[in-house]
Amino acid sequence: MAGKKKQKRPRADGVVPPPKRVRRLPAPQLSPRAVRRTAWLVGVLTPVLMVGLLAIATDPDYQVPCAIAAFLVLAAGITGLGFVRPSNWVIWPAVLAGVLLMMLPTASLRAQILSHRGVETEVVVTGAHSSKDRSGRVSWTCDIRRADGQPLPHGQVGGFGCSGRSDVGSTMNVLVDPEGWAPPAPLDDDLSILGGGVYVTAVLAVLWGLLTLAAARRTLREPAAARRGRR
């Protein structure tokens, strides 16, 4: 009969309907002006803010909040870099540089502070605490106080200066920051090698900026090349 709606034939048993094609929306593209602006913000602000926050984190009182803030800055920087150039050749080197920027500044700046103004001070070990990493290796941290009874900011020391509970009650010499900003460190720590991380940090910050600007430059070249190809 005319006007009667045609019904679909039922599928045979065991026949799986083909999957529906999902329409993928094209990735949003920034205008050339937005690409330049985003590249400059990501390339300059990301390393500057990260290094600044991790420099404040040299004081253990601010280490946790500053480290969290630096990680958020890194995540925002990688996201912005993805808008500038959504390509693996940019993202993965940026992630590697960002991870190194998270690891180096705090320890390196502490070593620089102690190597320049650290004072050898006699302390007494008052307690010892153990911790175990994922590989099962045990490390120790000792509570310390000055032998002369004066206040000691950040009265803990780790590394070779603390080997276990047998050290409790013994005395040893450590490097102490008179300003109380950097935590004490054992005399056995090689501060020259640790402090060299400051220069590596500067190189990584520059590389991050150059990588971001290079990604933006390549992104801006593609529309021009496409226009020349259509002529």
Side-chain angles (χ1 to χ4, degrees), residues 25-30 83 86:
L25 298 176
Q29 294 183 352
L30 300 178
F83 283 110

Side-chain angles (χ1 to χ4, degrees), residues 34-128:
V35 169
R36 295 189 187 95
R37 183 178 300 175
T38 305
W40 278 105
L41 288 175
V42 172
V44 175
L45 288 184
T46 300
V48 169
L49 289 177
M50 286 183 64
V51 173
L53 287 168
L54 294 173
I56 299 174
T58 53
D59 188 333
D61 293 337
Y62 307 107
Q63 183 173 356
V64 173
C66 286
I68 294 174
F71 176 79
L72 295 177
V73 170
L74 174 60
I78 293 175
T79 302
L81 186 57
F83 283 110
V84 172
R85 183 73 181 175
S87 175
N88 289 337
W89 76 265
V90 174
I91 299 301
W92 289 116
V95 171
L96 177 60
V99 170
L100 292 176
L101 279 174
M102 286 290 300
M103 296 170 58
L104 288 175
T106 300
S108 302
L109 289 172
R110 285 176 178 175
Q112 286 284 351
I113 291 173
L114 291 176
S115 63
H116 284 85
R117 67 186 189 195
V119 177
E120 186 174 342
T121 305
E122 186 179 16
V123 296
V124 180
V125 179
T126 59

Side-chain angles (χ1 to χ4, degrees), residues 189-200:
D189 286 355
D190 194 341
L191 299 179
S192 60
I193 294 179
L194 292 174
V198 172
Y199 306 104
V200 179

